[in-house]
């Protein structure tokens, strides 16, 4: 595990993770992240964010920029889990698991 997080209390780690995730993902989410949505086990290398509602207009802007023939009307993710293999970082893959992905799409006009 990263040395920067070893001495931090769990509540501070959760708040730091929420801040970083909100900064990066916030424009694509309908609501700000709450601490209750986060599950962190930094020693074990896992982090989970639950019950995300996507901001359709922001995600659709990315799709349109990529030339996607479909338009996102609404969407959500039940949970996103990231697993980081700290002991083998760089040789083992970082894994991302999505569950209960829900997208409502229609053809772009």
């Amino acid at each position: 595990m990263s040395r920067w997080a070893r001495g931090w209390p769990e509540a501070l780690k959760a708040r730091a993770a929420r801040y970083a995730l909100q900064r990066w993902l916030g424009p694509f989410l309908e609501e700000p992240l709450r601490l209750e949505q986060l599950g962190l086990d930094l020693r074990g290398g896992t982090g989970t964010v639950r019950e995300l509602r996507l901001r359709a207009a922001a995600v659709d802007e990315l799709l349109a920029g990529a030339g996607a023939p479909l338009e996102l009307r609404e969407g959500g993710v039940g949970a996103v889990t990231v697993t980081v293999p700290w002991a083998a970082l760089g040789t083992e893959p970082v894994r991302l698991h999505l569950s209960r992905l829900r997208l409502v799409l229609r053809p772009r006009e």
Side-chain angles (χ1 to χ4, degrees):
M1 180 177 71
S2 236
R3 286 193 296 183
W4 66 265
R6 282 191 184 140
W8 291 19
E10 293 303 313
L12 188 56
K13 291 177 192 176
R15 289 180 188 278
R18 180 186 61 180
Y19 173 81
L21 289 169
Q22 183 64 43
R23 184 175 171 107
W24 296 324
L25 300 177
F28 305 103
L29 302 176
E30 280 291 329
E31 308 166 335
L33 287 173
R34 298 179 320 277
L35 287 174
E36 302 83 44
Q37 291 174 276
L38 298 178
L40 295 175
D41 175 13
L42 292 178
R43 287 192 206 282
T46 61
T48 301
V49 182
R50 292 174 197 78
E51 304 306 325
L52 301 173
R53 287 188 16 217
L54 300 177
R55 181 176 289 153
V59 176
D60 188 56
E61 191 175 314
L62 289 176
L63 291 172
L70 298 172
E71 174 183 356
L72 181 68
R73 301 296 294 159
E74 65 180 85
V77 181
V80 179
T81 301
V82 177
T83 304
V84 180
W86 294 119
L89 200 56
T91 58
E92 293 288 323
V94 172
R95 299 188 188 281
L96 180 72
H97 178 80
L98 297 172
S99 64
R100 299 185 323 272
L101 176 64
R102 185 182 50 81
L103 301 174
V104 178
L105 302 163
R106 73 175 184 186
R108 190 171 299 283
E109 295 180 12

